[in-house]
Amino acid sequence: MPVVHLNTKLVRLLCYALGVSALLITYAFYLYEPHVELAFYDRDWVHRELEVVKPLAGCFNVDRVSNKYNISENLYGPKRNEVQSGVQLRMGLDCYNLAGTIRSAPRNGPQDIPNDERVHFHTYWRSDLAPFGPRQEYMLKSFFATQNADTSRLILWSNGELGHNPILQSYMRKYPRAFALKIVDIPGLAVGTALDGSPLLKRKDAKAWVDGDLIRLLLLWNYGGVWVDMDSLLTRDLDPLLEHEFVTQWDCYDKQYRPFNGALMRFHKHSPYLCEAFHIMLTDTPPRADSTDWGATLYLKLWRRLVAENIPPFKILPFCFSDGRSCRLDNRLPDPFEKDDPQGKWTMGLGMENGGPLDNVLHNIFGVHLHNQWDKEFPENGWVDRLLLKRYEKALGA
Ligand SMILES: *[C@@H]1O[C@H](CO)[C@@H](O)[C@H](O)[C@H]1NC(C)=O
């Protein structure tokens, strides 16, 4: 090996150059905010999966649309609220403020309507994952404190019996018409869809796909309504959104290949959008074993096929409507699990006190997605405890 003798002058020069560059970089950071997001996508995958727009399966053809689904009303009918923005909602409270523009028409709603005319809200809890305890119960409290128990119905689906759980029994007693427990029968739900009898339904290696993407789409197909992930807290009545069929935006960055999220979705019974989604699930690349974002790819493929055939696509709710955590430090919701000071500041000098700016924001948006984190407790007197949980309990008279 050749020995390199660095002469000391050269070393000193190098150190000096490094020092100057460090100073320049620090100064540049002081003047400019860097925006960098690095993600690596396999070029073959992008081309094969996303760039090629395949044809729809024909679910929107007049002779194939279910008589339970009204195309002229759902796709072309007049709507009261606009739920998309048209610009990226990255500045200040723009997204939260836009959510606040969405309001129901004043009306005297029907009281205590029959089960099958109610808006069904579906959520799922695996009976073998963890016991259903007070931490999980907050999702139910959020539902009954914010949604209309006379016109909607929450169904807690599971892969096993939950009926012996005392918390859930108390909800069944209190809301016999607005709350139900049911066990998911995947092959049964798939009857009459493109996935009927498919071996995909029984894939044991792709649990996230079956428990996640598949179940929610099959339930919405069979019953219609709203899907909401169990790890959410609802903050406001979803009624003014329900004239639309929608998924949500993944986060405020508008990821090119992963723009959509299915944590909160709304589709009508026998919606042709779902019929097309089943066709893609059946005929396109099956999910990888560990995939947790397969749904995002599915909704993107579907959206592109729809517009390619001039069919009005489903809507995409801006990120903060249900997931205000998924943005930058300066405009995302505070961490739900971190202790905070009621007199402290959230962002941009905005307060977290009762009746303050954060409180107002929570009345504009529709929910807060907690991204699992089931092992964490909400800190006592933290913002979630003060502005959401205690209010739910007050509203429910507990
Ligand atoms: C579908 O909706 C339109 C517009 O709201 C309505 O006029 C029509 O009667 C509906 N069709 C059916 C079959 O319900």
Side-chain angles (χ1 to χ4, degrees):
M1 233 167 107
V3 180
V4 183
H5 290 282
L6 279 179
N7 95 30
T8 45
K9 239 186 186 162
L10 188 63
V11 171
R12 224 177 282 147
L13 201 67
L14 266 172
C15 287
Y16 178 73
L18 272 174
V20 170
S21 328
L23 267 177
L24 277 176
I25 290 171
T26 313
Y27 186 59
F29 266 80
Y30 173 72
L31 287 181
Y32 302 99
E33 37 178 301
H35 286 217
V36 183
E37 202 224 23
L38 261 187
F40 296 91
Y41 295 94
D42 180 331
R43 289 180 198 280
D44 274 347
W45 177 84
V46 169
H47 179 71
R48 195 178 59 238
E49 294 297 314
L50 295 177
E51 283 174 0
V52 179
V53 181
K54 295 183 192 162
L56 291 170
C59 298
F60 287 85
N61 295 351
V62 187
D63 55 328
R64 279 194 56 189
V65 175
S66 157
N67 60 13
K68 299 194 171 71
Y69 187 91
N70 190 332
I71 288 243
S72 37
E73 181 164 324
N74 295 330
L75 266 69
Y76 300 101
K79 304 282 191 287
R80 177 183 164 89
N81 286 297
E82 175 56 76
V83 294
Q84 300 185 142
S85 73
V87 291
Q88 293 198 352
L89 300 166
R90 294 194 194 176
M91 289 172 68
L93 297 186
D94 290 355
C95 185
Y96 306 96
N97 294 338
L98 181 73
T101 65
I102 297 168
R103 297 287 158 191
S104 293
R107 63 169 172 253
N108 297 318
Q111 293 298 302
D112 205 15
I113 59 175
N115 279 354
D116 55 349
E117 288 168 30
R118 288 168 178 250
V119 180
H120 287 74
F121 284 71
H122 308 274
T123 191
Y124 182 71
W125 183 251
R126 271 177 54 182
S127 60
D128 55 331
L129 197 70
F132 193 97
R135 175 75 169 71
Q136 286 72 31
E137 185 189 356
Y138 281 123
M139 192 274 174
L140 305 192
K141 287 183 180 168
S142 83
F143 178 88
F144 287 105
T146 58
Q147 310 302 304
N148 184 341
D150 288 329
T151 55
S152 52
R153 184 168 189 238
L154 176 64
I155 306 180
L156 174 57
W157 295 89
S158 181
N159 57 343
E161 189 54 61
L162 289 175
H164 44 70
N165 179 298
I167 296 176
L168 296 172
Q169 285 172 348
S170 75
Y171 280 82
M172 286 192 290
R173 272 195 305 274
K174 191 164 177 200
Y175 305 100
R177 283 155 83 76
F179 181 65
L181 295 176
K182 290 193 184 184
I183 293 176
V184 172
D185 159 25
I186 295 174
L189 290 169
V191 169
T193 72
L195 294 170
D196 197 350
S198 160
L200 276 175
L201 302 177
K202 298 202 170 127
R203 271 189 67 172
K204 292 251 182 301
D205 61 324
K207 266 269 163 236
W209 180 77
V210 172
D211 281 344
D213 305 313
L214 181 65
I215 287 178
R216 69 192 65 194
L217 296 174
L218 285 175
L219 289 174
L220 289 174
W221 169 262
N222 280 274
Y223 300 91
V226 177
W227 169 272
V228 53
D229 275 4
M230 259 299 292
D231 57 345
S232 311
L233 294 172
L234 299 175
T235 60
R236 183 182 152 198
D237 193 341
L238 267 65
D239 175 75
L241 298 173
L242 301 184
E243 59 184 341
H244 298 284
E245 292 179 278
F246 59 77
V247 302
T248 67
Q249 190 187 14
W250 186 277
D251 57 24
C252 74
Y253 303 107
D254 261 331
K255 288 189 161 43
Q256 189 179 355
Y257 300 132
R258 202 204 286 164
F260 305 153
N261 192 316
L264 178 73
M265 319 203 280
R266 193 282 193 269
F267 286 98
H268 293 290
K269 181 174 179 160
H270 288 192
S271 172
Y273 293 120
L274 300 175
C275 167
E276 291 291 349
F278 297 139
H279 169 76
I280 298 175
M281 288 173 130
L282 185 71
T283 55
D284 263 45
T285 325
R288 300 179 308 276
D290 57 341
S291 136
T292 54
D293 58 3
W294 197 85
T297 311
L298 168 69
Y299 311 136
L300 178 58
K301 285 179 184 176
L302 176 55
W303 193 95
R304 301 192 70 220
R305 291 181 193 192
L306 290 164
V307 292
E309 299 192 23
N310 301 154
I311 290 172
F314 50 84
K315 301 284 178 180
I316 302 127
L317 299 191
F319 75 99
C320 77
F321 286 25
S322 55
D323 197 359
R325 285 288 294 156
S326 292
C327 200
R328 290 189 321 269
L329 278 170
D330 62 330
N331 65 355
R332 69 186 184 199
L333 290 178
D335 187 334
F337 302 104
E338 208 158 88
K339 257 189 135 40
D340 67 74
D341 176 358
Q343 300 315 317
K345 297 293 175 224
W346 159 34
T347 180
M348 297 177 279
L350 300 170
M352 302 168 83
E353 70 279 10
N354 296 16
L358 177 62
D359 201 357
N360 290 339
V361 157
L362 294 174
H363 284 96
N364 284 344
I365 60 174
F366 295 88
V368 177
H369 191 198
L370 302 166
H371 297 270
N372 287 309
Q373 309 189 72
W374 290 110
D375 52 327
K376 297 187 188 169
E377 295 294 328
F378 301 111
E380 194 169 341
N381 220 25
W383 69 274
V384 173
D385 187 41
R386 284 180 296 113
L387 306 178
L388 298 176
L389 309 185
K390 290 225 167 81
R391 304 262 178 86
Y392 299 153
E393 276 154 7
K394 196 166 167 220
L396 298 174

